[in-house]
Amino acid sequence: MEVQALSPEVIQDTQSAPTPSDCVPSDLIDKTFKSTCIDLISSSLSSSILAFSDEFFAPASNLTNPSPPIRRPGVFVPTGAWYDGWETRRHNPSPYDWVIIKLGVASGKVKGVEIDTAFFDGNHAEGVEVHGCFEVGDGADEKVKEKGYEGWREVLGYRGCGPSQRHGWKVESEGREVTH
């Protein structure tokens, strides 16, 4: 699964407003998904990070941690304050940050997306897009990492994100399974 964090300049022409039915209020995310869905990118299911644009401040592997994020004020690492999330440089040469995640199961149908910007104030992603693909067989992981790979399909169009909160959206997978 590829997750993109987009800057306002990049998304100006691609912005799609969420419909009222696809947004899930933060206090209803668990109730909406936990009893009928599994976390396809959970490290508990052996998901893995295959590639990413940057992880200067905090590793992309934090995205697959199934535990709720925690705050540790006053704790520092060589790159600055410690964060329980994925944090990239703020001024990347590419138009957006991205990460490719191999699902922790053989394949799955995406029913919803949660983006949690907990404790990220001023350094949060302004928006996200989620794409998925179905690629199996020898070399599948290498294939999806290739620049220009054409198998990606939109799972969730651009959605804005605010600081320090859970964001949830229902998605229509139209029966499509994804592996990444």
Side-chain angles (χ1 to χ4, degrees), residues 53-69:
S53 58
D54 185 273
E55 59 177 13
F56 184 79
F57 290 107
S61 62
N62 285 338
L63 295 170
T64 64
N65 182 350
S67 301

Side-chain angles (χ1 to χ4, degrees), residues 14-175:
T14 62
Q15 200 168 28
S16 61
T19 61
S21 63
D22 77 346
C23 292
V24 178
S26 60
D27 61 333
L28 296 178
I29 292 172
D30 289 340
K31 182 178 179 180
T32 302
F33 300 117
K34 293 273 185 193
S35 65
T36 59
C37 302
I38 61 170
D39 184 353
L40 295 173
I41 67 164
S42 173
S43 60
S44 299
L45 297 175
S46 300
S47 65
S48 58
I49 303 296
L50 298 181
F52 49 83
S53 58
D54 185 273
E55 59 177 13
F56 184 79
F57 290 107
S61 62
N62 285 338
L63 295 170
T64 64
N65 182 350
S67 301
I70 59 172
R71 182 167 172 80
R72 295 174 66 190
V75 175
F76 292 89
V77 296
T79 55
W82 179 88
Y83 278 97
D84 190 11
W86 175 43
E87 187 176 11
T88 65
R89 290 181 183 96
R90 289 161 187 83
H91 305 289
N92 291 333
S94 61
Y96 53 81
D97 289 308
W98 53 267
V99 61
I100 298 175
I101 303 170
K102 180 178 183 175
L103 301 185
V105 295
S107 66
K109 295 178 184 175
V110 179
K111 301 290 185 185
V113 172
E114 178 185 354
I115 303 295
D116 193 340
T117 58
F119 312 119
F120 286 86
D121 292 312
N123 56 346
H124 63 280
E126 293 182 22
V128 298
E129 269 183 41
V130 178
H131 295 177
C133 69
F134 185 87
E135 195 68 55
V136 295
D138 292 340
D141 292 347
E142 293 305 313
K143 190 173 184 179
V144 302
K145 293 190 307 185
E146 292 174 4
K147 187 174 183 168
Y149 173 70
E150 295 184 7
W152 296 114
R153 301 292 176 256
E154 184 176 277
V155 172
L156 179 73
Y158 176 81
R159 299 295 187 266
C161 289
S164 200
Q165 60 187 303
R166 291 174 76 188
H167 307 273
W169 300 274
K170 292 180 185 178
V171 299
E172 297 297 325
S173 63
E174 300 169 4

